[in-house]
Amino acid sequence: MLFKLNMKVIDFKVRSNETLNSRNHLLKITPSNNEILPEMHPGQFVQILVGNSSDVFLRRPISINFADKQKNEIWLLIQRIGEGTKKICSLKENETVNLIYPLGNSFTIPENKGKYLLIGGGVGTAPLLFLGKKMQEKQITPDFLIGARSDSDILQRRDFERYGNLYCTTEDGSSGEKGFVTNHSILQSNNYDFIYTCGPKPMMAAVAKYAAEKGIGCEVSLENLMACGFGACLCCTEKTTRGNVNTCTEGPVFNINELKWLD
Ligand code: FES
């Protein structure tokens, strides 16, 4: 679903910064001026400014992991992979970060009961938690299938279990079934109505191929390189049936029928 660009640029205060494992942190933030958060949708993202940094200038695009209306809080799952994300992961309680948000489109929330599978890998699991929450609001209980290298890389297990049935694969077999998500037995034993996926591109491509072969509708959330996040720099283009489009404004969520992956 595409939204009119309605972005804000405001400071947020860090409520908490939880270390989830050796590489991933969960930041919970709230507007510094106490303004009420706007309606946000799963799949949308923020552009976060790396403060106090002479060597890191660009904002970092981060998926909205969860929006807690009651606490007026946004959750961001951050993977420490470079200087910028390292600085974001070192933020302390009550420190300030500047965000441009909410950006991008969203996954399509189903209106009807059915069997829905949400497949995530790595930090790409982030928007699927928010999607599961939105599905629960529609009395839908999805299946989550999370792929990781090892048991310690499966993030927010309890949060996912709150909104659906959680299945896992790990490459070393330390949790769930050994192998990749597309090898998991639930793909053989269940007929899904729709699949949503976010994670490394090879994983999403394998999921898209599986869905196309089975005739199952599928949306993917792309993690193309982004700089501005709102259509100005043209660095995030993706080939689609509509031509080359900006992932940041036309996506990040696309139906696989729109992409050129399966040609
Ligand atoms: Fe600049 Fe998409 S990130 S146009």
Side-chain angles (χ1 to χ4, degrees), residues 96-135:
T96 300
V97 283
N98 185 269
L99 257 57
I100 304 177
Y101 86 111
L103 295 164
N105 68 352
S106 89
F107 289 108
T108 306
I109 311 290
E111 290 299 327
N112 302 314
K113 289 234 163 51
K115 286 196 73 67
Y116 299 99
L117 179 62
L118 283 53
I119 304 180
V123 79
T125 56
L128 303 183
L129 181 67
F130 193 19
L131 178 58
K133 164 78 162 53
K134 290 289 183 185
M135 286 187 174

Side-chain angles (χ1 to χ4, degrees), residues 45 47 61 224-237 245-250:
F45 63 98
Q47 284 278 73
N224 292 16
L225 184 74
M226 289 186 194
C228 71
F230 48 80
C233 71
L234 309 182
C235 79
C236 63
T237 55
V245 302
N246 289 333
T247 305
C248 64
T249 51
E250 301 294 315

Side-chain angles (χ1 to χ4, degrees), residues 145-151 154 157 166-180 184-185:
L145 174 56
I146 291 180
R149 266 186 244 161
S150 182
D151 180 59
I154 297 169
R157 194 185 283 263
L166 178 62
Y167 302 90
C168 301
T169 59
T170 48
E171 290 171 32
D172 64 2
S174 55
S175 187
E177 295 185 10
K178 186 171 181 179
F180 297 111
H184 198 283
S185 55

Side-chain angles (χ1 to χ4, degrees), residues 57 77 154 241:
F57 300 106
L77 197 56
I154 297 169
T241 52

